Amino acid sequence: MSTSANLSGNAPPGPVLVMGAGSIGCFVGGCLQAAGVEVDFVGRSQRLAQLQLSGLHLTDQDGRDQHIPATRLRLHEQVPTGAQPSLVLLCVKSGATAHTARDLQQTLPAGTPVLSLQNGVQNAPTAQKAAPALKIVPGMVAFNVAQGPDGRFHRGTAGQLAAQDTPALRLWQAHFARAGLPLVLHTQLRDVQWGKLLLNLNNPVNALSGLPLRTQLQDRALRRELAALMEEALDVMAHAGVRPARMTPLPWRLLVRVLRLPTPMFRVLARRMLRMDHLARSSMADDLAHGRPTEIDELCGEIVRLAHTSGRSAPLNSAMAARILSHSTACRPMPAPPPRT
């Protein structure tokens, strides 16, 4: 069950703090600021330097083209002293969740709502365990955002934001809608998260292919690889009693069959799935390209762990996780040599 945004003319409940000024954090936070919300961005020094130089440029496949000048951006390497945000958007990579949550708890008032807009199904529980004084709310981003070669942050696919239904987020629904980011609240988000995880099993396939998402999905061999990962995951979930919410017009088992069809038939039956532009690519592709740690453990690794809890195995997802880890290690930048003496 979900509730849709209730549009109202009220002012925002207060400022927003974006923890993790990456692609998702910059796009969602930027859209909110463009709609009149006060936003503070916390991120790595390299990303902040880029924003200080060029400002924040937001585009999407529906024609959005907004630019926030650098002079209007509030950029920080750490949570600002005395910050009292009405809402925190937790957008860091999964490996940084626990220590980021602890940092937030040391700085922010108890009870501050923190919306996790991260991949996987474990980030919100991890953050809540690390920061019990805060109110961690699980959320999900159903669209793709990539940083373009010209520095802009571009939403290249359709989709909405989703979150667990809480009173704090109901106050924000109209403001997310005004920003062009419909926020759907669910009484049971976990099934939706498992559904998103199934779709995200394409992330490693896309990352290893080196292709844009639309091009990769029109390659039958790569689709068959994705179908095999999804089929194995569905078997594991069924055995463990997990019922992933449907994320596409097609039921999951039928989608697996459609992925395996010849490409001309796939194009006809999966028109909505291919409704994305040439800039769309997985975040994991960006991570591999820049030698950063990936979130493969939160995707394929989660399927492997779920299988183990019920005495099963998931060899395909295990093998994919190993491939990504091997590739990530091989692509990691070498440390600089010590200076000559």
Side-chain angles (χ1 to χ4, degrees):
M1 180 179 176
S2 64
T3 62
S4 59
N6 174 27
L7 292 174
S8 72
N10 296 334
V16 165
L17 176 68
V18 173
M19 283 300 295
S23 295
I24 293 296
C26 282
F27 187 82
V28 175
C31 290
L32 287 171
Q33 179 167 341
V37 178
E38 293 183 14
V39 180
D40 288 279
F41 297 87
V42 178
R44 296 190 300 267
S45 57
Q46 182 178 4
R47 173 57 53 77
L48 299 182
Q50 294 172 348
L51 294 173
Q52 287 170 341
L53 182 65
S54 60
L56 187 50
H57 189 189
L58 310 169
T59 60
D60 68 22
Q61 63 174 173
D62 298 320
R64 179 196 294 266
D65 193 342
Q66 296 173 309
H67 184 264
I68 302 174
T71 54
R72 290 183 51 209
L73 295 174
R74 304 192 326 201
L75 307 174
H76 317 272
E77 291 190 28
Q78 297 178 336
V79 179
T81 302
Q84 294 189 352
S86 174
L87 179 66
V88 177
L89 303 181
L90 186 58
C91 303
V92 298
K93 293 291 186 179
S94 298
T97 296
H99 76 76
T100 300
R102 285 192 289 269
D103 289 346
L104 287 171
Q105 180 168 259
Q106 291 174 0
T107 309
L108 302 181
T112 299
V114 178
L115 175 60
S116 168
L117 295 179
Q118 301 165 281
N119 282 330
V121 297
Q122 298 299 336
N123 278 299
T126 297
Q128 190 67 79
K129 182 177 180 180
L134 303 179
K135 175 60 177 177
I136 311 296
V137 183
M140 187 199 73
V141 181
F143 50 79
N144 170 275
V145 176
Q147 186 174 7
D150 55 358
R152 60 188 164 126
F153 294 91
H154 181 79
R155 177 179 64 78
T157 63
Q160 299 176 319
L161 299 177
Q164 187 72 31
D165 189 6
T166 66
L169 287 183
R170 290 176 203 163
L171 298 175
W172 276 100
Q173 277 188 290
H175 306 288
F176 275 93
R178 192 174 294 118
L181 300 168
L183 174 63
V184 181
L185 301 182
H186 295 261
T187 55
Q188 280 293 340
L189 186 72
R190 197 160 181 83
D191 292 343
V192 180
Q193 290 178 300
W194 280 110
K196 175 69 184 311
L197 191 152
L198 275 173
L199 289 182
N200 278 348
L201 292 180
N202 189 52
N203 286 11
V205 178
N206 175 256
L208 292 174
S209 76
L211 299 170
L213 278 167
R214 183 178 172 84
T215 304
Q216 175 243 312
L217 286 170
Q218 295 185 77
D219 184 308
R220 189 183 185 190
L222 296 174
R223 287 200 312 277
R224 288 168 67 90
E225 187 173 15
L226 170 60
L229 291 172
M230 292 178 68
E231 186 171 50
E232 180 179 81
L234 285 166
D235 290 342
V236 168
M237 290 180 186
H239 197 266
V242 174
R243 302 182 64 180
R246 187 191 297 187
M247 304 294 290
T248 73
L250 301 176
W252 289 114
R253 296 287 181 178
L254 181 55
L255 176 61
V256 168
R257 292 171 58 188
V258 169
L259 286 169
R260 289 176 167 142
L261 292 174
T263 297
M265 297 178 65
F266 172 76
R267 288 191 186 121
V268 172
L269 294 174
R271 288 189 300 271
R272 289 181 60 180
M273 193 173 185
L274 291 172
R275 199 173 297 164
M276 59 183 72
D277 57 42
H278 69 284
L279 288 176
R281 62 182 183 272
S282 70
S283 59
M284 193 173 291
D286 287 340
D287 290 338
L288 284 187
H290 293 91
R292 297 190 295 253
T294 72
E295 294 185 308
I296 192 63
D297 190 54
E298 283 69 38
L299 302 178
C300 294
E302 195 65 50
I303 300 301
V304 174
R305 284 190 292 275
L306 184 64
H308 287 170
T309 62
S310 53
R312 297 171 65 89
S313 63
L316 297 179
N317 279 272
S318 181
M320 177 57 81
R323 286 174 63 191
I324 290 291
L325 289 172
S326 174
H327 196 85
S328 180
T329 302
C331 293
R332 192 166 298 159
M334 294 295 291
R340 291 188 176 185
T341 59

